Amino acid sequence: MWFISFVNSSIGRKAIMAVTGLCLISFLAIHAFGNAAIYMGSKYFQIYADTLHGFPVLVLLFGLGLLVILTAHVGFGVLLFFEKRKTQSRYRVATRVVENTFASRTMPYTGLFILLFLIIHVFGFNIAVPADVPISAVVKDYLSGFFYSLFYIVAFVALAIHLNHGFWSMLQTFGVNHPRYNCLIATLTIVVPVAFLVIFGGIPIYFMTGAGASF
Amino acid sequence: MSTIDLKLLIWRQKNSDSLGDFETHVLKDISTDMSFLEMLDVLNEKLTKDGMEPVAFDHDCREGICGMCGAVVNGVAHGPEKETTLCQLHMRKFASGDTLVIEPFRSRAFPIKKDLMVDRSSLDRIIQAGGYVSVNTGGAIDGNTTPVSTETAELAMDAAACIGCGACVASCPNGAAMLFTGAKISQLSLLPQGHAERKQRATAMVAQMDKEGFGYCSNERECEAVCPKGISISSIARMNREYLKGVFFGR
Amino acid sequence: MELNPNIPSGPLAEKWDNHRFTSKLVNPANRRKFKVIVVGTGLAGASAAATLAELGYKVEAFCLHDSPRRAHSIAAQGGINAAKNYQNEGDSVFRLFYDTIKGGDFRAREANVYRLAQVSNNIIDQCVAQGVPFAREYGGTLANRSFGGAQVSRTFYARGQTGQQLLLGAYSALSRQIKKGGVTMHNRREMMDVVVVDGRARGIVVRNMINGAIETYSGDAVLLCTGGYGNAYFLSTNAMASNVTAAWRACKRGAGFANPSFVQIHPTCIPVHGDYQSKLTLMSESLRNDGRVWVPKKQGDNRPPSQISEDERDYYLENKYPSFGNLVPRDVASRNAKEQCDAGKGVGSTQLAVYLDFAEAIKRDGEDVIFRKYGNLFQMYQKITDSDPMKEPMMIYPAVHYTMGGLWVDYNLMTTIPGLFALGECNFSDHGANRLGASALMQGLADGYFIINTSVAHYFGSTPLAAVDTSHEAFTATADEVAARVKRLLQNSSGGPQGKVTVDEVHKELGRLLWDHCGMARNKEGLELALAKLPELKDRFWNRVYVPGTEKDINQSLERAGRVADFLEFAEFMVRDALAREESCGCHLREESQTEEHEALRNDEQYSHVSVWEFTGDDQAPELHKEPLAFENVTPSQRSYK
């Protein structure tokens, strides 16, 4: 009962966004850590992939969990987006005192774009993968394509922008705001998205530029 | 003494049930030493002399502390000067020939009573839900029994400076009362006197806030920018913290 | 009119204890049978409403604002006094009592003031417990600062917003009781009259300011916590809506009004700069610690201050009062500023201002030191006047600030109408002829938190009260009178505004009249002139005032008109009181009563009394009664600042 009223409250909904966002960031961190094996060569990457898939139940549960979290994040995000649209522009002169950051203004759009990317990405690397081809080969095959890679890079840029506001917003919702650490938080809102952009975005560039030709 | 001429587009609405609209008035030779409300006084004297009804607007202390006045001037609550209530805004901030669009504070939770006058009793009900320390008169211990560090007292005072004008609500794209509620919760959660009830206070006040029809926070920071007392959104962060603690660890 | 102050027996220090013991009590289970009406929700009203509801009485509270948190107590800046002696300076209850009595120029009742000093300490404890963020020392203890009229640091403060924080504390206690159902709060109601049944106050008539309805409420006791009447002068540091209506209506129903001419004029306010000006803003008195007050020696010298050389300047306070200089008390500073301006030496566009110059202090201590001390005040000044006191001298002028006079009350805070109590600035009791800084907050909260509960219990416990509700004929009759008066205010409105006057025009004229003749310095001639002019002003108001709109709607012009109508009637009391008191005391100089050196001269032999005025009928001279003041514990002394 208390949980339902919590989820229905103004702060509760934001907290759901923040918690699911944190889960998704954690997943991204693990994912990025694993994918970094690509830079070590196809052999290591394949070992990583095979080891991971040696636990099919775990992967399934993890996947389902992620699906629930993602659905909640997207669902509440869309809900908040529409609620906001309802109350906007109630004055004759529409003006802002603080200019919103680009990241904050575009949260729903970058979010939806990342969702689109996610669907394509999961479809490409999970569902439509032929059973007999090793995953490392699929990766190289897909990402050597110029437009496919470009799409990936654009998606990672969108992710970085989304995280730039999302990360700060999450901390604010959790109540992490202290004069001593606000400077650190401001730094992290740049460092965290950039780190993801470098690791993830580096992969398509790695293949696109031909640096990964010997993969 | 310099003077300016102004064109006013001012919101007129007979009562809560009727539809309102803008009315245009031209004011000449407005002294730049006037406060914004004195300019409205001049307009009202003129309207009275012309046999029209003066513009109703709330105001009282005219020192920027009672929180009674407030209107949206050219889209900004309390007008263009930072950390200044409407009554302390002076006409020298405007130039001759300017058009001023003057509207009431608009929000689902602030029904318009007449012209620029709105009903902000929803804010009172948030305080009634828990914005106090439950001590009866008489039984208090000596004021010096519980030490409070200077830093804590100062932080509590920063939050307690809220005048309850509602500008934060008026300027929030979501019509949220997060800064108002956060300020009171912050004050009482910082001071040791407020600790006994902090969990229950945060949940009760947030529940009332939602019930009144205030929106949620999307971290736009407009509230902080228009707050005449410069209350920071760190108050909102502290409220979130208190609320989460209250929900998950309260009884 | 019988004036029995009901001062308890025994030595001064034991009176309050004796009184509490001998007062009747009401059994906790019986309290819910009694309903108390509280009008006004400032410090006195909010604290009284909360306290009585906590005890179990049924409370109905009323305020004319949109929220009880807006009352003008909120604007008090400086602080609140208490005899805690936290600073180890030898402060005590007796010292606070003595300073307050002396500050009031020996025109207050000893027993009341002593009780005020006694409960002052409880107030601080109570407010701390409510979560009022008082300033703290580094070790975590409460900080104090010094204030005028005392040689000890006993003022507790929360930045420059002490009044706000104390009011919000009382408001939070009130809010808690509203939630619990102990208090029913009625916002946006203006009290229009008291209902008296069988000689006792049994209810009130209010106007609903949203829909214009005339509403009646009954109760077993009525508490007026409606503040002071400084707005009679039009320009004052009071809030725009502060008014005398509630007190004046009570007075017309039989409550005696004490010392109506005791009005405090604060020396350091931002001067008037135009006809459109609606109110005056106070600047802290602490500025006089470093600022030097001067005017040009030559009359009508309108050169900018930088072009007036040192030998062309008259540092009149330093010259006249060599030992105190710029730090003379409020009344002396105010009076001298007016004297200079009246002599044609005023500065600024209206010539109603004197300079307060920081140039020498800046030269002596450096810009940094001065800015650190007064920076926020300078910024406030600059916001309003667009002039930087670091670069050019500030301009100041005195302004009406606080009214010591008020409804006469006995030791129980009860007026001469049984069951009608007056608390805070609304009563006359504790400040004599002059109020010390940081004492107003103390008195409002003392009355509301710690005194009224004893009085109300005693009244209920010792008085048989018949059941009365609003169907009683006294309620309908009073409501009809109120409705008729509202109609009368609108009587000139049908023909349009041509050839009529607005409410503000009459109010400004009244203000000017009082300021000129019943202000800081008064004389018989001027007061008689004012008295002669008042009926004409009243006539003009009633016959020619144009009030737009209707009574059935939100109508701010109508609200103002009602208040001004009462100020016009009440002004006569002020002038008559000033006329009758042929001595200089506290805030006022009666020009006929001064020493050879032109200093105020008190006359204890003839005027050591409270002047209580009884309303005897419209257009009839009120009757003066006197409550003699006995000083058994202090010896009245004459002030000198030379």
Side-chain angles (χ1 to χ4, degrees), chain C residues 517-549:
Chain C
H517 302 296
C518 193
M520 295 167 268
R522 298 125 182 218
N523 58 50
K524 188 159 186 272
E525 199 187 339
L527 289 163
E528 280 173 347
L529 181 81
L531 202 57
K533 273 192 176 174
L534 276 173
E536 187 268 324
L537 201 56
K538 241 193 294 189
D539 262 16
R540 186 135 46 96
F541 178 83
W542 285 109
N543 295 324
R544 286 183 53 203
V545 77
Y546 172 75
V547 180

Side-chain angles (χ1 to χ4, degrees), chain A residues 133-148:
Chain A
V133 185
I135 190 74
S136 52
V138 180
V139 169
K140 189 181 173 186
D141 184 34
Y142 274 137
L143 294 183
S144 299
F146 177 75
F147 288 105
Y148 205 86

Side-chain angles (χ1 to χ4, degrees), chain B residues 1 14-15 31-35 37-38 41-42 44-45 47-63 65-68 81-85 88-90 92 113-114 117-121 123-125 127-151 153-158 160-166 180 184 187-188 191 193-194 197 208 211 229, chain C residues 47 50-51 54 64-72 74-75 77 84 86 122 124-142 158-159 161 164-165 168 171-180 185 187-188 210 237-242 273-274 276-282 349 380 382-386 449-450 496-498 500-505 546-550 553-557 559-560:
Chain B
M1 187 173 67
K14 194 161 169 36
N15 53 43
S31 157
T32 50
D33 284 338
M34 273 184 203
S35 73
L37 299 188
E38 283 166 350
D41 289 343
V42 169
N44 277 346
E45 259 326 74
L47 291 176
T48 307
K49 295 244 167 197
D50 293 348
M52 292 159 84
E53 235 191 286
V55 180
F57 64 95
D58 267 326
H59 62 101
D60 199 25
C61 77
R62 299 205 174 186
E63 294 179 23
I65 192 80
C66 76
M68 188 105 174
E81 198 177 355
K82 218 175 144 46
E83 294 194 18
T84 305
T85 55
Q88 292 287 294
L89 173 66
H90 282 72
R92 64 182 75 93
K113 286 289 171 196
K114 185 177 184 178
M117 205 183 244
V118 298
D119 179 2
R120 288 166 290 194
S121 52
L123 297 181
D124 281 333
R125 288 188 292 274
I127 299 295
Q128 285 159 19
Y132 44 75
V133 177
S134 296
V135 285
N136 282 356
T137 306
I141 50 170
D142 186 273
N144 262 348
T145 311
T146 316
V148 178
S149 74
T150 321
E151 196 198 352
E154 287 296 308
L155 277 174
M157 186 59 219
D158 286 342
C162 170
I163 57 173
C165 63
F180 172 82
K184 186 45 81 178
Q187 179 203 342
L188 296 178
L191 293 170
Q193 286 80 11
E197 299 168 272
Q208 187 65 35
K211 202 170 131 194
K229 295 293 147 184
Chain C
S47 58
T51 301
E54 284 161 11
L64 55 73
H65 300 97
D66 69 330
S67 158
R69 67 184 289 158
R70 314 269 186 227
H72 200 55
I74 209 159
Q77 301 168 351
K84 283 283 196 187
Y86 281 157
N122 303 73
I124 301 303
D125 299 341
Q126 183 63 29
C127 294
V128 168
Q130 285 172 345
V132 170
F134 281 120
R136 299 278 176 162
E137 302 291 355
Y138 285 106
T141 53
L142 290 156
R159 290 203 192 136
Q161 290 135 274
Q164 181 201 23
Q165 292 310 313
L168 293 183
Y171 160 78
S172 72
L174 175 65
S175 296
R176 174 170 162 247
Q177 291 306 318
I178 294 172
K179 178 76 174 176
K180 280 182 147 181
M185 185 69 221
N187 296 340
R188 296 213 197 252
I210 297 292
T237 64
N238 285 9
M240 302 303 287
S242 300
H273 36 75
Y276 51 81
Q277 185 142 354
S278 58
K279 83 154 274 161
L280 296 169
T281 306
L282 189 86
S349 58
M380 182 166 126
Q382 193 169 6
K383 195 176 259 184
I384 294 172
T385 63
D386 203 25
Y449 281 135
F450 297 106
Q498 289 74 31
K500 310 236 169 91
V501 291
T502 65
V503 176
D504 277 7
E505 283 168 349
Y546 172 75
V547 180
T550 72
D553 191 11
I554 295 173
N555 188 340
Q556 293 178 314
S557 307
E559 292 161 17
R560 278 208 309 281

Side-chain angles (χ1 to χ4, degrees), chain A residues 105-128:
Chain A
R105 273 201 311 272
T106 53
M107 279 308 267
Y109 310 110
T110 49
L112 287 174
F113 187 74
I114 295 164
L115 182 67
L116 174 75
F117 161 78
L118 219 57
I119 293 167
I120 293 172
H121 174 66
V122 170
F123 187 80
F125 287 100
N126 270 14
I127 299 167

